[in-house]
Amino acid sequence: MRVINYSKKSVVYGVQRRQFLNYMAMVSAIPFPSAYLEGKVSTSPKFSAYPFSLGVASGDPEPDGVVIWTKLAPDPLGGGGLDPEPILVKWEVAKDEAFTNVVQKGSVFAGPQLGHSVHVELSGLDSQRWYFFRFHTGSEVSPVGRTRTAPALSEMPAKMKFAFTSCQHLETGYFNGYPHMQQEDLDLVIHLGDYIYEYAGIDKRVRKHIGKEIESLDEYRQRYAQYRMDEDLQETHRVFPWLVTWDDHEFDNNYANLVSEEDGISPEAFLARRMNAYQAYYEFMPLRKRSFPQGPDMKLYRQCRYGRLANFFVLDTRQYRTDQPNGDRQKPMTGKVFDPHATMLGREQENWLMSGMLKSDATWNILAQQVMMAALNRGDEKGERYSMDQWPGYEISRRRLLRFFHERKIDNPVVLTGDIHLNWVNDLQLDFRDPKSPLVGTEWVGTSMSSAGDGGNFIPEYERAAKQNDFVKWYNSNRGYVSCELTKDHWKSYFRATPYVTRKGAPVETKAVFIIEQGRPGAQLVSKA
Ligand code: FE
Ligand code: CA
């Protein structure tokens, strides 16, 4: 074997190989090709078409590094278009876009087991700095990615900016928010899930999913490829590091742990499908090895810190939850809603979250998660109704967390939420039934990027809900994203809206700006369009 020895920070082939074998040993369910052991790898591959069709991405920033990502696919929608053999991919990282000042180089194998995806965990970089990266394979070069490391853990950065979004149904609209997001001066992009939708293609929509409802690994891969081929999405991955988590549609609508939305599906069949869904997610996202799927399980909850300013707790509210009480629709808050064993996070994740928050020295303690935490009564004169798929369906879990914020005096808890295709600004009260109950946190609910179509319409049910729930400060039905600016004294959220998604190229409008003052939970209106 040839030793590839680039520089001081070079990666020696033998070390890479050992790591690689460890890595592959983890993929127990997947047959192990002898080519890896015999060293039959493609070091000068020829491709039928450009292999970097899916672009590049980066994610999970830390003070000394990020993950850089690509996936070789000359035929992204037709199974990838590669022979089932490992392919050598070289990577390089520079301080400048022209790559005159290359600081690290190395090489890895893109293997067929992981759909020829590449996840390189960089370390040894400077904190809080922009870097550029690209990949080479054969004679082909990838687009140049741009990424940014986090500040040192001990530091209090003057400012941090990020945008968050979720819910990008390809069939119901274009991702018109992304081009505007690209123009912002962001450290990070957060995606809260529903990155894809699993449904079969339906005619007469803005765009059409390829094929039927996805179940096999190849079908999930093809669906992710179809989404990532969207130029606005791909470009946003190229220019910022992302912190991603999933919701339900990366697998199956409103699933809970092993329980499908539909009845009569065996846990075994459901787990097999979950394994496919999770693996494809890992393959397509810039995730670290700590999130590597283990059969049908995948640990996606994790922390991401921006010095002493912000501590992001990225949650997974799908994989470990108990089944929704009495189905996942809207119900009064009675009966099983108060089951003390019902859990949204599962015991392990909840313990991890609480101990992480207790140890946190950050000004802002942020939950990047999926479903609405505020107990929004959507009922009418016939009675109260709450969504059983959201935190109020797991009321004991919800109260335990809010009480924890309050009693343990967690600094500035802020909850980021996706899932429901509407913006909501909610004050989180210890007891929502008592108007005098203290505020313990703030919740920003992002709208969808494209799901549910143009939006901006008047929705009587939600008009009523906004009026009858005192903790609601604002709601909005436009598509778009939320841009957040954090300093040690305040948090400003800008609710960006695109007036339409059924045609490309929408302008952006800031529908509202809210602020949270450090040490004072609850959102205050700054301006409204
Ligand atoms: Fe959604
Ligand atoms: Ca959802």
Side-chain angles (χ1 to χ4, degrees):
M1 286 294 159
R2 201 163 68 88
V3 173
I4 301 166
N5 202 346
Y6 279 108
S7 70
K8 271 214 308 263
K9 283 173 177 166
S10 72
V11 178
V12 177
Y13 185 79
V15 173
Q16 280 281 301
R17 182 184 166 85
R18 208 159 49 235
Q19 283 173 347
F20 183 68
L21 289 175
N22 288 340
Y23 190 64
M24 290 318 300
M26 293 162 71
V27 197
S28 53
I30 302 168
F32 198 90
S34 55
Y36 283 100
L37 298 170
E38 291 162 19
K40 281 184 203 156
V41 295
S42 190
T43 50
S44 51
K46 297 270 183 296
F47 300 103
S48 57
Y50 187 54
F52 295 107
S53 60
L54 296 168
V56 297
S58 69
D60 276 18
E62 287 186 3
D64 73 333
V66 295
V67 182
I68 55 172
W69 175 97
T70 192
K71 194 171 192 292
L72 305 180
D75 184 7
L77 302 179
L82 294 169
D83 291 336
E85 59 178 18
I87 296 170
L88 184 74
V89 178
K90 296 177 186 173
W91 53 268
E92 53 185 337
V93 178
K95 285 188 174 172
D96 63 319
E97 204 167 358
F99 287 79
T100 49
N101 189 358
V102 173
V103 292
Q104 289 191 24
K105 283 182 175 190
S107 63
V108 287
F109 289 105
Q113 291 84 350
L114 293 173
H116 293 99
S117 61
V118 173
H119 302 75
V120 179
E121 283 190 55
L122 302 175
S123 60
L125 299 178
D126 297 340
S127 59
Q128 215 176 355
R129 165 175 240 302
W130 289 105
Y131 284 98
F132 298 86
F133 62 95
R134 65 187 174 193
F135 299 91
H136 302 262
T137 184
S139 57
E140 303 284 357
V141 189
S142 77
V144 172
R146 185 185 73 165
T147 191
R148 187 169 172 79
T149 50
L153 297 181
S154 59
E155 213 153 285
M156 176 57 88
K159 198 171 78 179
M160 190 258 165
K161 281 191 81 174
F162 74 95
F164 73 94
T165 191
S166 65
C167 299
Q168 45 193 35
H169 198 312
L170 181 104
E171 293 195 327
T172 59
Y174 293 102
F175 305 155
N176 283 343
Y178 282 129
H180 299 288
M181 200 189 275
Q182 290 157 23
Q183 299 308 310
E184 298 208 28
D185 169 27
L186 305 174
D187 297 279
L188 182 71
V189 171
I190 298 181
H191 200 285
L192 299 175
D194 290 356
Y195 187 99
I196 59 158
Y197 283 72
E198 80 279 22
Y199 302 124
I202 294 176
D203 286 327
K204 298 196 178 110
R205 288 186 161 179
V206 178
R207 298 186 276 190
K208 191 180 174 185
H209 285 153
I210 299 169
K212 62 176 182 65
E213 177 155 337
I214 51 178
E215 288 176 57
S216 71
L217 178 57
D218 282 342
E219 288 164 350
Y220 277 103
R221 283 171 169 167
Q222 184 188 47
R223 186 62 55 86
Y224 277 100
Q226 191 182 6
Y227 275 64
R228 192 62 72 80
M229 293 291 283
D230 178 279
E231 58 182 1
D232 298 323
L233 174 61
Q234 189 177 121
E235 177 66 5
T236 313
H237 275 289
R238 189 184 72 80
V239 297
F240 298 117
W242 283 45
L243 189 59
V244 299
T245 184
W246 55 36
D247 191 19
D248 50 341
H249 289 288
E250 283 84 353
F251 172 26
D252 185 32
N253 181 42
N254 286 3
Y255 80 96
N257 198 331
L258 301 183
V259 186
S260 165
E261 134 195 59
E262 299 135 69
D263 293 330
I265 298 194
S266 77
E268 293 80 8
F270 201 58
L271 269 184
R273 185 176 167 196
R274 197 170 95 172
M275 180 167 76
N276 298 333
Y278 286 10
Q279 182 179 335
Y281 186 79
Y282 176 81
E283 287 180 7
F284 276 86
M285 296 297 154
L287 289 167
R288 291 177 182 269
K289 285 193 197 81
R290 64 186 174 199
S291 298
F292 195 82
Q294 308 280 332
D297 303 322
M298 185 170 150
K299 194 167 162 186
L300 199 55
Y301 64 84
R302 62 203 190 279
Q303 255 185 80
C304 176
R305 297 163 68 184
Y306 274 72
R308 289 184 292 119
L309 182 60
N311 199 342
F312 295 91
F313 295 87
V314 182
L315 304 186
D316 175 355
T317 61
R318 292 290 170 191
Q319 193 175 177
Y320 313 104
R321 66 157 83 184
T322 45
D323 195 18
Q324 293 92 346
N326 317 312
D328 52 9
R329 316 244 164 222
Q330 299 177 10
K331 297 276 162 56
M333 209 183 263
T334 53
K336 276 194 197 165
V337 162
F338 296 106
D339 176 358
H341 302 294
T343 172
M344 182 59 101
L345 300 175
R347 185 184 292 174
E348 232 181 273
Q349 182 177 201
E350 187 172 316
N351 289 344
W352 163 86
L353 172 64
M354 288 181 175
S355 63
M357 290 189 108
L358 286 173
K359 275 185 247 154
S360 174
D361 60 357
T363 302
W364 304 100
N365 286 289
I366 304 145
L367 271 51
Q369 58 100 52
Q370 295 78 26
V371 287
M372 187 135 88
M373 191 168 287
L376 187 77
N377 169 20
R378 300 135 189 270
D380 49 25
E381 59 289 339
K382 284 185 242 126
E384 292 187 349
R385 285 198 320 267
Y386 299 86
S387 166
M388 295 294 104
D389 187 52
Q390 299 169 9
W391 281 91
Y394 301 75
E395 185 60 11
I396 299 298
S397 239
R398 195 181 81 89
R399 290 184 187 181
R400 189 164 56 234
L401 191 55
L402 295 176
R403 206 177 321 115
F404 168 80
F405 291 168
H406 182 62
E407 287 175 358
R408 307 307 294 262
K409 301 188 169 60
I410 301 302
D411 283 337
N412 304 299
V414 177
V415 178
L416 311 181
T417 301
D419 180 46
I420 44 172
H421 315 163
L422 294 166
N423 288 127
W424 294 88
V425 173
N426 301 322
D427 290 349
L428 293 172
Q429 254 176 314
L430 188 60
D431 178 357
F432 72 99
R433 296 200 187 274
D434 174 6
K436 288 197 208 74
S437 175
L439 299 187
V440 297
T442 317
E443 179 174 36
W444 311 119
V445 184
T447 179
S448 66
M449 179 55 72
S450 63
S451 301
D454 284 339
N457 46 327
F458 180 89
I459 309 171
E461 181 196 342
Y462 291 117
E463 286 293 326
R464 193 177 62 229
K467 285 202 187 84
Q468 70 195 11
N469 293 275
D470 287 342
F471 56 81
V472 172
K473 293 295 179 71
W474 185 66
Y475 109 99
N476 171 53
S477 70
N478 286 98
R479 305 288 84 94
Y481 64 96
V482 186
S483 187
C484 304
E485 187 185 281
L486 282 58
T487 72
K488 66 177 178 35
D489 302 317
H490 71 249
W491 174 314
K492 252 184 181 170
S493 286
Y494 301 82
F495 290 84
R496 313 283 200 213
T498 51
Y500 52 86
V501 291
T502 49
R503 285 168 292 135
K504 270 199 100 154
V508 73
E509 186 187 5
T510 300
K511 295 289 279 191
V513 182
F514 280 86
I515 193 168
I516 312 171
E517 285 171 42
Q518 193 286 123
R520 193 178 157 198
Q524 302 166 50
L525 179 68
V526 175
S527 61
K528 227 167 18 176

